[in-house]
């Protein structure tokens, strides 16, 4: 059974700091990795996806993947109060659409003024 | 990105009644849609995979006779909660994938069901 583990938090960081969110997964066959942001009472929205080992940067966000360690992380630079939300890590078996994803329980991030 | 619309966003019903939730892909055709349920402060739990033109595939522990899924067209999937009970109160979210994209899911806005 696929498992995706995240620290539930809350993770508190001051405004302008770097927030580091971590996720581990159990299925070595996993091929696609996603980070979603979910505000309270809302549905998840995609932040980033990554398929290959290494780093992938998009604006203030950087996703890092290490398949050997079964570890994926999300860095948020210059954190803003609007980044305060729950961040869900999701893992899938492969790219190509219609993906069945397994979600972690999410890490709550609080960016403090 | 692709747009998935879900309706209604909120519904309150009496115990024993049935509720239908619609999920539409607005600008793409979705051969596969996924239905998730999320309880407060918990993660998304996959309930079933809805396949256009065929029966849905349910996850272990999800009663297929209670949660009826119909995917009659490439742009519409419906979830009907039959004989709803208070313990069915939850946030139901649909999502769809698009083959030409990179594999990510696009989520509907979610439907908050409260059963009295």
């Amino acid at each position: 059974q696929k498992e995706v583990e995240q620290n539930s938090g809350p993770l508190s960081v001051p405004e302008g700091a770097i927030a580091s969110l971590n996720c581990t997964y159990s299925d070595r066959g996993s091929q696609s990795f996603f980070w979603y942001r979910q505000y309270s009472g809302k549905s998840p929205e995609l932040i980033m996806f990554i398929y290959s080992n290494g780093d992938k940067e998009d604006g203030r966000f950087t996703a890092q993947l290490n398949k050997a360690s079964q570890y994926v992380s999300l860095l948020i630079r210059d954190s803003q109060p609007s980044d305060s939300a729950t961040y869900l890590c999701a893992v899938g078996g492969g790219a190509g659409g219609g993906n069945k994803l397994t979600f972690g329980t999410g890490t709550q991030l609080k960016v403090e003024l | 990105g692709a747009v998935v619309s879900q309706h209604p966003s909120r519904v309150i019903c009496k115990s024993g009644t049935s509720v239908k939730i619609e999920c539409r892909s607005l600008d793409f055709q979705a051969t596969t849609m996924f239905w998730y349920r999320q309880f407060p402060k918990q993660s998304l739990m996959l309930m079933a995979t809805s396949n256009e033109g065929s029966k849905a595939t349910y996850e272990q522990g999800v009663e297929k006779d209670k949660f009826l899924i119909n995917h009659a067209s490439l742009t519409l999937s419906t979830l009907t909660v039959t004989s709803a009970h208070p313990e069915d109160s939850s946030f139901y979210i649909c999502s769809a994938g698009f083959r030409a994209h990179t594999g990510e899911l696009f989520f509907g806005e979610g439907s908050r069901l409260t059963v009295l």
Side-chain angles (χ1 to χ4, degrees):
Chain A
Q1 184 177 354
K2 295 182 180 178
E3 292 185 354
V4 179
E5 301 286 340
Q6 293 181 257
N7 187 320
S8 62
L11 172 66
S12 294
V13 299
E15 184 178 6
I18 296 175
S20 178
L21 305 165
N22 304 314
C23 172
T24 59
Y25 58 95
S26 63
D27 187 354
R28 283 196 172 275
S30 301
Q31 297 181 35
S32 53
F33 307 87
F34 305 86
W35 283 100
Y36 285 86
R37 177 176 61 198
Q38 186 176 27
Y39 293 110
S40 181
K42 302 295 184 182
S43 64
E45 54 181 328
L46 181 67
I47 298 296
M48 290 194 69
F49 59 87
I50 186 169
Y51 297 124
S52 303
N53 278 327
D55 295 359
K56 179 181 179 182
E57 185 175 322
D58 183 2
R60 295 187 296 113
F61 300 95
T62 299
Q64 300 174 318
L65 175 62
N66 185 325
K67 289 187 178 180
S69 300
Q70 296 175 240
Y71 174 91
V72 58
S73 65
L74 179 70
L75 300 178
I76 306 175
R77 291 181 298 281
D78 188 23
S79 295
Q80 301 297 309
S82 59
D83 294 327
S84 298
T86 296
Y87 289 80
L88 301 171
C89 172
V91 174
N99 219 354
K100 182 176 176 179
L101 301 183
T102 300
F103 284 83
T105 53
T107 298
Q108 185 183 5
L109 173 65
K110 293 184 177 180
V111 180
E112 300 170 333
L113 294 171
Chain B
V3 179
V4 177
S5 178
Q6 195 171 335
H7 176 81
S9 59
R10 291 181 179 273
V11 58
I12 300 174
C13 69
K14 294 181 178 180
S15 184
T17 60
S18 296
V19 173
K20 179 185 286 188
I21 301 170
E22 294 186 347
C23 179
R24 294 181 185 273
S25 55
L26 297 186
D27 54 358
F28 68 102
Q29 294 182 329
T31 56
T32 304
M33 290 184 175
F34 301 91
W35 286 96
Y36 290 85
R37 178 169 55 184
Q38 186 178 37
F39 292 107
K41 299 191 182 300
Q42 295 187 23
S43 189
L44 281 72
M45 296 301 297
L46 180 65
M47 298 176 65
T49 302
S50 172
N51 302 297
E52 188 268 336
S54 64
K55 292 183 179 180
T57 303
Y58 290 82
E59 295 299 303
Q60 188 175 9
V62 177
E63 300 175 59
K64 61 181 181 180
D65 294 331
K66 180 171 183 59
F67 299 99
L68 301 179
I69 292 174
N70 183 282
H71 194 156
S73 77
L74 287 171
T75 58
L76 174 64
S77 176
T78 61
L79 168 68
T80 301
V81 183
T82 63
S83 186
H85 292 282
E87 58 265 31
D88 298 324
S89 299
S90 185
F91 192 45
Y92 292 85
I93 314 173
C94 72
S95 66
F98 181 28
R99 291 190 183 277
H101 283 65
T102 51
E104 70 267 32
L105 292 180
F106 301 98
F107 284 88
E109 304 92 336
S111 299
R112 172 103 28 219
L113 170 64
T114 302
V115 184
L116 302 177

